[in-house]
Structures are given as C-alpha cells and as structure tokens.
Amino acid sequence: MDYDFDLLTLGAGSGGVAASRRAAMHGAKVAAIEGSRVGGTCVIRGCVPKKLMMYAAQYGDAIREAAGYGWSIENPRFEMARWASAKAAETSRLERVYHHLLEGAKVELIEGWARIDGPHTVIVGERRLTARHLLIATGASPVRDSIPGVEDCATSDELLDLQSLPQRAAVIGSGYIACEFASILSRLGVEVSMFFRSRLPLRGFDDDLRTRTAAALTASGVHLHPGAAPTRIQRAGDSFMLIAADERVREFPFVLNATGRAPNTRGLGLETLGITLGPAGEVPVDAKLATTAADVHAIGDVTNKKNLTPVAIAEGRALADSLFGPEPREVDLSLVSSAVFTLPPLATVGMSESEASAAGHSVDVYESEFRPMRQAFIDGKEQTYMKLLVDASDQRVLGIHMLGTDAPEIIQSLAVAMSCGATKPQFDRTIAMHPTAAEEFMLLRAPTRRVEPAAARDA
Ligand SMILES: Cc1cc2nc3c(=O)[nH]c(=O)nc-3n(C[C@H](O)[C@H](O)[C@H](O)COP(=O)(O)OP(=O)(O)OC[C@H]3O[C@@H](n4cnc5c(N)ncnc54)[C@H](O)[C@@H]3O)c2cc1C
C-alpha cells in the first residue's frame, strides 16, 4: 500500500523533533504535526524559560553577596516585564532554530492539531494524511482538576508569562516544578508559602536531599506547610481562598498549581486504534517503544516513564534508528541523572539510600556537609551536602547525590563514571582538582554509616 509518508510524528517537541530529524537523515519521508509552537514544552514553557528565570533569581543572590566581595551596587531592582520580554525573544529565537532544523532535515512541518483516524491515518484540519508508521510524541500538560477550584489558578505555563510578580504567592505541590518556582519566586522577593500532602518535598529523591531541600527552602524564606494541601480553592475577587481539611482559610493574591502533569492523549483518537491508556492516562509502550497497535510507537512524556527532555530525545533517536536505520536499538533508562534547579540546586544519579537498601544492597554511606568557600568568605549560611552510596561487598558506587552550587554540572560528569561502573577505590585514586566543591567527592575517607539491606533489617 502507498502512504503519503514513511513517518508521521504527532507533536514537534523535544522527542518528536529528534525522532523526525533522525528518521529523515536515514532517508525516510517524514512530516511532523504541531498544534502549538515548535520546540514543545522544554523550549517554550519548560526547562529553558524556567532556567532563565532561575538565572534572574541567581543574579539577585550575586548582587546581595557582592558587597562582601568589595562591590558597591546602588538600588538594584528586578523588573519582571523586562525579563518576560527578553524571555519571549529568546524562546522565539529557539523556536526559529527548531524550524530551521526541521527544514534542514527536509521534514515537512504541518501546523495544526492531529487526530488519529484508524490505522496509518491522521487528520489535521481539512487534511487526511497516511503514513507507514505513526509516532505519538504529544507530551504532557499541567493537571488542572486535581483540587476543586484549582482550575482558576496559574500553572507553570502562565507563571512564565507573568508581566509582574505578586507580593505573596501560594505554591501547591512539592514535586520539582513546585520546589523550583517556590525557590525562584522567593529569591525574586515574593513571599512564598508551599502547601503539599507529604511530609517532605520531592517524593522519589533520596531522603537526605529531601530534608535538606526543605531546610534550604525554609532558609530562603519559603513557608512550608507539609501535610496541608488545600481540599478546595475558591475565587474571591482578585484573591484565591485556600481551604484546608480543617476548614482553615488562607487568602493569596496568586496561586501556582504545581500538582502534576498528565499525558496529552485527550482527543487524539487513540480509541480508533484500540489503544487503552494506562492508569495515569499514558500511552503504554514496550521496550521497543511500540504501542499495542501495529506500526504505532510513542515516546517522551506521553508515555509517562521518566519525564525529562534528554529521555524524550534519546527515545526519539533510538526509535528512528530502529525503524529506518541499519539496526534496531533500545534506550537504557536504568541510570538517568536528574536535577532540581532550586537555589541552591540539587542533582542525583543512581539509587537513593532507601532504593539501594530495598534492592538488597548492604550500603556504605559516605557524606560531607560544609559551607562552600564562596559562602564562608561572606559569612553566608548556605551549605553544600554530598552523598555517595557504595555497595559494601564490591565497593561499586550505587548512587551519587548533591545539594549545593553547581550540583547539576558536577553530577552530570560523575554520571559518566557511574555508567562505567565506577568503584569507591577509583574515586579515591582520582587526584582532586583544587579548590573546587567537586573535589570533596574524591576526598570522602570513611563511611558515616552502613545501611543493611531492608529485607535483613525487617526480618
Ligand atoms: C516548568 C517545567 C520545567 C521543566 N524542566 C525540565 C528540566 O529542567 N529538565 C528536563 O529534562 N525536563 C524538564 N521538564 C520536562 C520536559 O519539558 C519534558 O520532559 C519534555 O519537553 C518532553 O518532551 P516531549 O517531546 O515528550 O513532549 P513536549 O516537549 O511536551 O512536546 C509535545 C508537543 O506535542 C504537541 N501536541 C500535543 N498534542 C498534539 C496534537 N494532538 N497534535 C499536534 N501536536 C500536539 C504539543 O503542542 C507539544 O509541542 C520541564 C517541564 C516543565 C513543565
């Protein structure tokens, strides 16, 4: 049968663009369909603008600290509108870059919202397109119905487009997006209160990072309300009323709904292919990124595995290589490093202490906590925390965790060592680079404690 295309990609975000370009490079005839802006979440309303806002907050820290280093800076002032217009120009520039990348690879861009209409068929506006392979790369969006009344509150999408900052804000949630924006807003002068269900923020991260993140947020002025997610929210004029389980009402001029994200599957027509969604509304895929429908694959956030840009890109490229390249390959997601861009940031690769112990390892825990040189000089309070988890039986490094300036840059490099199976003696043999914070990872002499496997402990 003749098709219009070899590959039709639904969604031109991180994963969709990567897959489309790689497939075209292998000689496939490809079109990518995008309903919003090319570049997707990461470039337009995620990683990139978020980090640009973090940089804005970091300049505030630098200005405050500069006096201790001999600088006099008169009347510094942050203007959100100026940041917002510079940010809009930068995301538009990046969007154009993505357009050029698709053009350069000879991928046809089709603008509009795609709807699948049975095997090999997609409808976009008036057009009916067919392809040998369909790729679902439609990403995820903020959940807007997690709490009654939350639909009126801003999500990260709207926050990043604010023209002025509120004086006070509530952040609901405690995942990485909630923590990042709580930290950034508070550094930009907003009085922030965070409300969340659990005891500590950042579920899934190592507990020692979680407790220190909570302490760092508190130290930067964020009021934490663990175990206190509102049960409903009411609009009252320009204000929002957060109503707690005990009926206590708190009023805020601005509320950030950071209660989670859900895969973009609504209205996609997946039922015409017989695809049944998973419990979080995701498109289930196997190790080859194949859905239950023939010739239909899915990658990135819409599959709700590890919702990170590099994962979506790696999956997109692997899939294109498998479908159109010389030999199929799979993506190994067993060792994915990740960062949280709070101030200071944190980063992690490998197992958390509880995961390592639950997996049956006897774990030597090496830790270091210190005031970094740059802070000590100005009598700053900010601490750096480092943690190395080592298998006591064979000395293999199982996990590396850090909270402190440059943590994401440091952990990214150490992730290479971990993926090579690095051991503690190899860390010890590495000559340190001085004076750096990273050198502390080479200078961890004795474990602070040993954690036995969870099964042995619980027996
Ligand atoms: C505030 C925020 C901060 C983040 N920070 C980081 C970070 O620091 N590091 C990191 O690794 N990740 C971060 N992420 C996550 C990252 O952005 C995503 O993991 C990544 O963008 C996923 O790529 P994707 O290709 O799966 O989906 P997306 O990039 O979301 O692309 C999907 C595209 O599909 C389009 N689409 C959807 N439905 C249709 C349809 N029916 N027809 C046509 N087009 C459609 C959408 O418009 C979108 O452009 C962040 C996310 C957010 C929200």
Side-chain angles (χ1 to χ4, degrees):
M1 180 170 170
D2 271 353
Y3 298 106
D4 301 328
F5 296 95
D6 296 316
L7 175 70
L8 261 181
T9 304
L10 283 69
S14 305
V17 168
S20 301
R21 290 177 64 212
R22 181 63 66 92
M25 200 190 86
H26 286 304
K29 187 179 179 202
V30 186
I33 309 164
E34 176 53 57
S36 176
R37 292 174 63 185
V38 173
T41 303
C42 176
V43 175
I44 308 294
R45 51 192 168 270
C47 332
V48 172
K50 176 270 305 275
K51 196 149 184 206
L52 293 173
M53 197 169 176
M54 185 213 77
Y55 283 137
Q58 214 171 31
Y59 272 104
D61 284 357
I63 292 166
R64 279 186 287 277
E65 292 169 2
Y69 279 87
W71 288 88
S72 299
I73 298 172
E74 305 281 306
N75 302 326
R77 193 160 55 96
F78 174 71
E79 289 167 59
M80 184 68 179
R82 279 174 53 204
W83 177 85
S85 94
K87 184 271 296 184
E90 178 61 0
T91 48
S92 296
R93 184 185 72 80
L94 291 171
E95 192 182 354
R96 285 194 297 278
V97 169
Y98 273 74
H99 275 270
H100 289 314
L101 289 174
L102 290 176
E103 262 167 46
K106 302 209 168 9
V107 173
E108 182 181 339
L109 174 65
I110 299 172
E111 289 175 308
W113 296 102
R115 185 169 52 83
I116 295 169
D117 193 28
H120 305 282
T121 310
V122 176
I123 294 176
V124 188
E126 301 292 300
R127 287 178 77 178
R128 189 178 183 81
L129 308 156
T130 60
R132 171 96 186 82
H133 297 278
L134 300 184
L135 173 58
I136 303 167
T138 49
S141 302
V143 170
R144 292 176 194 265
D145 59 0
S146 46
I147 300 170
V150 83
E151 61 277 6
D152 289 334
C153 302
T155 68
S156 54
D157 290 0
E158 291 81 36
L159 170 62
L160 287 163
D161 282 335
L162 286 181
Q163 295 297 312
S164 64
L165 289 177
Q167 285 188 338
R168 293 169 57 242
V171 173
I172 309 176
S174 67
Y176 79 93
I177 292 176
C179 292
E180 290 176 337
F181 284 117
S183 174
I184 292 168
L185 286 174
S186 105
R187 291 298 231 273
L188 291 173
V190 180
E191 188 186 339
V192 179
S193 300
M194 248 178 111
F195 297 88
F196 48 99
R197 273 202 300 256
S198 49
R199 187 176 58 86
L200 287 169
L202 294 178
R203 190 161 53 86
F205 283 80
D206 186 277
D207 275 355
D208 282 312
L209 286 188
R210 298 177 70 195
T211 46
R212 284 165 179 83
T213 300
L217 285 168
T218 304
S220 67
V222 177
H223 309 292
L224 297 188
H225 298 271
T231 52
R232 56 189 208 281
I233 299 167
Q234 275 171 11
R235 196 87 206 245
D238 286 344
S239 295
F240 297 88
M241 303 296 177
L242 266 51
I243 303 159
D246 61 3
E247 293 298 315
R248 180 168 172 182
V249 180
R250 294 183 177 90
E251 179 268 329
F252 289 92
F254 181 88
V255 178
L256 174 67
N257 163 19
T259 54
R261 295 176 62 79
N264 289 328
T265 47
R266 191 172 301 163
L268 258 190
L270 295 174
E271 65 289 350
T272 68
L273 297 173
I275 292 177
T276 308
L277 298 179
E282 77 278 16
V283 177
V285 287
D286 64 15
K288 294 181 168 39
L289 303 165
T291 68
T292 51
D295 302 317
V296 182
H297 293 79
I299 55 168
D301 283 11
V302 76
T303 65
N304 196 35
K305 285 183 288 167
K306 294 210 161 144
N307 298 333
L308 295 167
T309 293
V311 172
I313 292 173
E315 289 183 340
R317 289 180 180 156
L319 179 69
D321 288 347
S322 300
L323 294 179
F324 304 107
E327 58 186 276
R329 64 187 183 87
E330 292 175 10
V331 181
D332 178 4
L333 295 183
S334 59
L335 201 64
V336 177
S337 48
S338 69
V340 179
F341 293 95
T342 41
L343 290 168
L346 65 96
T348 189
V349 60
M351 294 183 198
S352 67
E353 186 180 311
S354 56
E355 283 169 347
S357 140
H361 298 277
S362 178
V363 187
D364 281 339
V365 180
Y366 293 80
E367 292 168 291
S368 176
E369 192 153 26
F370 56 93
R371 197 159 60 142
M373 192 177 183
R374 181 172 158 163
Q375 287 290 317
F377 185 70
I378 52 167
D379 200 23
K381 301 288 173 263
E382 197 175 293
Q383 295 281 312
T384 290
Y385 173 73
M386 293 172 166
K387 179 174 184 179
L388 200 67
L389 301 173
V390 177
D391 188 315
S393 61
D394 62 6
Q395 295 298 298
R396 210 159 42 87
V397 176
L398 300 169
I400 314 177
H401 309 278
M402 175 175 175
L403 173 84
T405 305
D406 297 331
E409 310 292 337
I410 293 169
I411 297 293
Q412 173 69 96
S413 304
L414 291 179
V416 180
M418 260 200 82
S419 71
C420 297
T423 62
K424 180 69 172 74
Q426 289 169 330
F427 269 68
D428 296 341
R429 275 207 300 275
T430 305
I431 303 283
M433 187 189 284
H434 183 73
T436 63
E439 68 179 313
E440 288 300 315
F441 274 120
M442 319 303 142
L443 302 172
L444 296 165
R445 285 294 158 252
T448 46
R449 57 204 152 88
R450 173 164 296 177
V451 179
E452 294 306 339
R457 249 192 359 241
D458 301 342

